[in-house]
């Protein structure tokens, strides 16, 4: 992998990740952009103890542009985009309309491919590995920023999810705090460790799932399963079999196998609802250990956390979505219409090979 860092016309950082070591990235951003001004602010809720990002400047962000005006495609002639070069493999750049910025963290966009009409599932294994390397590099680089506590790499796919740009891409959020969901996991890990005299909760969960009927696919270094208490109609968790706290901890064997397992999983997701159905909308979310202090989680350190990816769709059946209504939105109590065992069975049925 070759990494080339440059700056856009408004001062934002842009990084090319190339498969070829001889790639030259010297194109200049020719757009007449003024410096980006953000109004991002993080406010803490005193009752719930969580944080909310207030980012009013995002009201003016690009919204469903036509394909020939996509800002994530390479620049061509006088059609100038966020990527100055006319080609690219993988590109990461600072979001022009970030939810988090400055002392409140940082937001980046990750373009998986220059092909506007592709999806992550269409990538070659070599390209998918390059994306993994980019995620890992961004995790490493952003973790050193003084305002950053946790790194979240994720992909939103599909208009139903709320995606405003159709080009295959994901994002990286660098939070200035430990996210509520991660905090819940760490509290459970601490309680389990105390109750069992030191047993790791993630290890116990993985052992249980490997022995159950909800395993979807398994490699030498990775396993994908529908969790026992899945919140979403079709939800799969992908774990490396050797527990590591973050993407930086993966060894070469796990990195090599990841594209094979993940691409197969995404292809199965697109087959869930049968032939002729539109692509399955999904969220793919990497969960990594925070880089900040963990004193509030008694007896827990970073190595007690287990890196994993959670992949889920809000579509519950053909033409119908799972809405977060009263119980889910008001009380955070999920009601799942699809038994996890049936979901796992369906994802095994639609194997691509």
């Amino acid at each position: 992998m070759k990494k080339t860092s440059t700056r856009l016309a408004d001062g934002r950082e842009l990084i090319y990740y190339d498969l070829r070591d001889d790639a030259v990235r010297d194109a200049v951003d020719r757009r007449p952009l003024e410096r980006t001004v953000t109004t991002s602010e993080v406010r803490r809720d005193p009752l719930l103890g969580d944080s909310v990002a207030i980012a009013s400047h995002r009201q003016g962000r690009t919204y469903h542009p036509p394909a020939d005006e996509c800002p994530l495609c390479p620049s061509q002639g006088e059609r100038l985009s966020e990527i100055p070069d006319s080609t690219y493999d993988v590109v990461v750049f600072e979001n022009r309309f970030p939810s988090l910025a400055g002392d409140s963290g940082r937001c980046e966009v990750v373009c998986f491919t220059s092909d506007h009409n592709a999806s992550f599932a269409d990538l070659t294994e070599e390209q998918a590995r390059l994306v993994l390397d980019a995620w890992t590099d961004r995790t490493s680089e952003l973790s050193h920023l003084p305002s950053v506590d946790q790194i979240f790499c994720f992909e939103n796919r599909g208009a139903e999810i709320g995606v405003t740009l159709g080009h295959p891409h994901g994002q990286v959020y660098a939070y200035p705090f430990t996210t509520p969901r991660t905090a819940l996991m760490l509290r459970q890990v601490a309680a389990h460790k105390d109750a069992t005299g030191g047993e790791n909760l993630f290890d116990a969960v993985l052992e249980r799932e490997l022995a159950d009927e909800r395993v979807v696919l398994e490699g030498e270094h990775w396993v994908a399963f529908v969790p026992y208490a899945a919140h979403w109609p079709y939800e799969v968790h992908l774990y490396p079999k050797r527990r590591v706290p973050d993407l930086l901890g993966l060894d070469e064997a796990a990195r090599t196998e990841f594209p094979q397992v993940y691409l197969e999983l995404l292809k199965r997701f697109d087959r869930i609802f049968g032939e002729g159905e539109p692509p399955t909308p999904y969220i793919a979310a990497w969960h990594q250990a925070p880089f900040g202090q963990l004193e509030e989680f008694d007896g827990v350190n970073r190595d007690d956390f287990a890196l994993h990816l959670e992949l889920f769709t809000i579509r519950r059946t053909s033409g119908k979505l799972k809405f977060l209504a009263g119980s889910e939105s008001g009380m955070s109590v999920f009601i799942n219409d699809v038994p996890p065992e049936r979901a796992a069975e369906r994802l095994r049925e639609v194997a691509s090979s």
Side-chain angles (χ1 to χ4, degrees), residues 188-217:
Q188 290 297 102
V189 169
H192 185 83
K193 192 174 186 178
D194 181 64
T196 60
E199 182 183 67
N200 183 273
L201 178 58
F202 285 107
D203 291 350
V205 167
L206 190 56
E207 181 180 1
R208 173 184 176 180
E209 295 292 357
L210 280 167
D212 220 316
E213 60 183 312
R214 290 178 301 278
V215 171
V216 174
L217 62 100

Side-chain angles (χ1 to χ4, degrees), residues 167-190:
H167 195 104
H169 73 287
Q171 299 181 67
V172 180
Y173 274 23
Y175 296 103
F177 50 80
T178 297
T179 61
R181 188 171 176 84
T182 302
L184 283 174
M185 292 184 195
L186 290 170
R187 292 189 188 102
Q188 290 297 102
V189 169

